[in-house]
């Protein structure tokens, strides 16, 4: 019995030692190298080197160069990288159209992925905090809103549905498109007044080209306040139905097709590139997920080490 007890004690001590070793190895791996999960749906992205984020992760939180707040990777209030993440080492993405993000006032800044878009495509992305948003009525013919609903259309049908809009709203007939041109129109539009057929042609082509897309950044339970705002009424709504979220803060009770803000922006642009621009997609917008993919892997690794997966 003494021998059995001694052996059991020895085995137990060995198991504890091995368990501690595995935990140490897992934590060491988490700190040293990014994960290569086979089930990582983001691993095929064509991303810029994330070495700068690896270094920042090891050094810990750093100061925002503008407000001096202590942050990890970037400041979510000033929309700039922290001091340990040189701006020149962050990729920039050129987008084919402008993006407005309307942020709910109660949305927690640190939990939002909207700032990723501003950091990575600063020339094409503007973030507004509701209720301070632009007036869109005069430009409904070139703007669409990403939001699921009974009247939402797919990306491939954007051009067809935008034909219903003119510079003054919904066009009742082709003749109405030329009847009352707006003030301060471009010169080419004044020339079209002389030729009604040219105006009709223009309304079918130039006036149906999407130039801006709007995203709402909030929890799904908070969207009603924004989506019912009169300034957003009458806009063409688009729904992304075929993609599933990878967001680590996915809201319980909501379908997995409800994407985080940066995922919605990325997947919309991929579809837009293929369906509207009719060009093959070769990773042009992948770097929009530069921060998202890194954080996804970091959090997935942390859960693995904690034994939650």
């Amino acid at each position: 019995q003494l021998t059995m007890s001694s052996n059991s004690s020895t085995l137990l001590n060995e198991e504890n030692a091995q368990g501690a070793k595995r935990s140490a190895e897992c934590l060491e791996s988490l700190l040293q190298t990014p994960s290569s999960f086979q089930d990582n749906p983001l691993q095929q992205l064509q991303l810029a080197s994330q070495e700068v984020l690896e270094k920042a992760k090891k050094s810990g939180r750093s100061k925002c160069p503008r407000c001096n707040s202590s942050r990890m990777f970037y400041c979510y209030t000033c929309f700039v990288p922290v001091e340990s993440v040189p701006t020149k080492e962050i990729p920039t993405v050129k987008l084919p159209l402008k993006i407005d993000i309307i942020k709910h006032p109660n949305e927690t800044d640190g939990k939002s992925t909207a700032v990723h878009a501003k950091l990575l495509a600063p020339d094409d992305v503007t973030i507004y905090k509701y209720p301070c948003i632009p007036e869109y009525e005069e430009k409904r013919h070139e703007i669409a809103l990403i939001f699921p609903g009974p009247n939402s259309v797919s990306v491939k049908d954007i051009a067809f549905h935008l034909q219903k809009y003119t510079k003054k709203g919904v066009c009742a007939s082709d003749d109405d498109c030329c009847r009352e041109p707006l003030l301060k129109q471009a010169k080419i539009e004044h020339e079209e007044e002389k030729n009604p057929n040219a105006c009709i042609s223009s309304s079918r082509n130039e006036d149906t080209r999407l130039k801006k897309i709007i995203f709402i950044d909030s929890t799904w339970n908070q969207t009603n306040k924004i989506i019912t705002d009169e300034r957003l009424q009458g806009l063409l709504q688009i729904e992304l139905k075929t993609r599933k979220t990878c967001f680590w803060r996915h809201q319980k009770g909501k379908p997995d097709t409800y994407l985080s803000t940066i995922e919605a922006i990325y997947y919309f642009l991929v579809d837009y590139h293929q369906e509207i621009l009719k060009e093959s997609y070769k990773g042009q917008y992948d770097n929009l997920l530069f921060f998202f993919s890194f954080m996804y892997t970091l959090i997935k690794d942390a859960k693995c080490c904690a034994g939650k997966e």
Side-chain angles (χ1 to χ4, degrees), residues 76-144:
Y76 43 75
T77 52
C78 299
F79 309 143
V80 294
V82 293
E83 291 178 347
S84 63
V85 182
T87 302
K88 64 181 181 180
E89 295 187 44
I90 300 298
T92 54
V93 184
K94 181 61 182 174
L95 307 185
L97 38 69
K98 300 297 183 181
I99 287 177
D100 282 0
I101 299 174
I102 301 174
K103 190 175 179 298
H104 194 284
N106 294 336
E107 177 70 2
T108 304
D109 291 339
K111 293 183 178 181
S112 170
T113 63
V115 63
H116 296 184
K118 183 62 179 175
L119 283 162
L120 298 162
D123 294 337
D124 298 316
V125 175
T126 305
I127 298 179
Y128 297 93
K129 181 168 285 190
Y130 187 83
C132 298
I133 65 175
E135 294 285 349
Y136 294 111
E137 184 175 359
E138 293 292 340
K139 295 186 177 181
R140 285 193 295 171
H141 60 289
E142 58 186 31
I143 296 176

Side-chain angles (χ1 to χ4, degrees), residues 34-48:
S35 172
S36 57
F37 282 94
Q38 291 183 353
D39 61 341
N40 183 349
L42 305 175
Q43 65 183 353
Q44 301 302 320
L45 295 171
Q46 299 178 43
L47 298 172

